[in-house]
Amino acid sequence: MKITITGTPGTGKTTVAKILAEKLSLPVYNLTELIKKEKLYTDFDEKRDAFIVDIEKLTNYFKDKSNFIAEGLIAHYIPSDIVVILRAKPEIIMSRLEERGYSREKLKENAESEKIAFCANEVFELRPAPVIIHVDTSARKPEEVADVIIEGIKKGGLIEEIDWLED
Ligand SMILES: Nc1ncnc2c1ncn2[C@@H]1O[C@H](COP(=O)(O)OP(=O)(O)O)[C@@H](O)[C@H]1O
Ligand SMILES: [Mg+2]
């Protein structure tokens, strides 16, 4: 089973992926770490302090793997059986990332990108997997989020209605 977990920073991808990996006995790949370790980038963006991912190298890396969980901001570019989009209220994103020591600018940038559903919209446009799971993590513990994902896998998809612009 190939699962990708995407979403705005602070939605809980890394936390939930680890729990899910335990529950489903799958290896988990943190894309930020993997991209550095395997040099799956084209360049380094000094201004943004981030690597520019080589999508072709990234998808190639997973090409012959049939069982994995890959989690990261661009996980939905990797072909998979199941794509999970994690969501969280923008103010919750802010408070989760604040604890991580993000700058004011980064906090606002990520909250804004969650507000307009940047990542989710990409998934709903690309439809990179036959099964889509779209979950609101705002009022759930990571363990509960993992259980909702498992339920979604069993059902062959689970899409919660989420629109922060309507709040
Ligand atoms: N469902 C949740 N409820 C409350 N806090 C959470 C939840 N999921 C993650 N967190 C916390 O939010 C922060 C960001 O989580 P993390 O898994 O690193 O997110 P991501 O990988 O999407 O950036 C961490 O401090 C984590 O402990
Ligand atoms: Mg993470």
Side-chain angles (χ1 to χ4, degrees):
M1 187 158 42
K2 304 184 226 183
I3 304 175
T4 56
I5 305 182
T6 190
T8 310
T11 49
K13 300 180 294 296
T14 303
T15 311
V16 169
K18 281 183 189 155
I19 300 170
L20 207 57
E22 283 265 317
K23 287 187 187 256
L24 301 176
S25 301
L26 287 170
V28 62
Y29 295 86
N30 173 285
L31 294 182
T32 312
E33 287 168 12
L34 185 79
I35 286 157
K36 264 188 248 171
K37 189 166 143 247
E38 299 293 332
K39 300 193 166 55
L40 309 176
Y41 47 79
T42 52
D43 217 339
F44 185 76
D45 185 340
E46 299 277 351
K47 233 169 85 189
R48 303 190 56 94
D49 189 31
F51 286 103
I52 300 163
V53 183
D54 187 329
I55 300 291
E56 202 181 324
K57 276 190 195 160
L58 178 68
T59 51
N60 263 334
Y61 183 86
F62 286 97
K63 208 177 59 190
D64 299 320
K65 295 184 168 50
S66 48
N67 281 301
F68 62 81
I69 298 175
E71 60 92 2
L73 199 51
I74 44 134
H76 54 289
Y77 286 100
I78 302 164
S80 66
D81 305 311
I82 297 150
V83 61
V84 178
I85 317 150
L86 297 184
R87 305 291 303 278
K89 280 204 174 78
E91 48 276 31
I92 288 178
I93 295 272
M94 297 262 268
S95 74
R96 287 185 190 167
L97 293 179
E98 206 162 15
E99 282 170 33
R100 216 197 250 171
Y102 272 45
S103 69
R104 193 81 215 142
E105 194 187 351
K106 277 255 179 190
L107 289 180
K108 274 164 71 183
E109 191 182 304
N110 284 306
E112 190 56 31
S113 124
E114 175 62 23
K115 194 170 181 180
I116 62 162
F118 183 81
C119 204
N121 285 342
E122 245 185 32
V123 173
F124 287 115
E125 273 163 35
L126 291 168
R127 303 209 157 252
V131 173
I132 301 179
I133 298 172
H134 184 230
V135 188
D136 183 4
T137 70
S138 305
R140 288 179 170 122
K141 295 189 182 78
E143 184 84 21
E144 291 169 336
V145 176
D147 288 338
V148 173
I149 295 169
I150 291 172
E151 191 192 316
I153 295 171
K154 284 187 191 146
K155 283 185 178 164
L158 191 157
I159 296 172
E160 292 184 340
E161 187 102 17
I162 302 163
D163 187 355
W164 306 136
L165 295 168
E166 293 240 311
D167 272 18

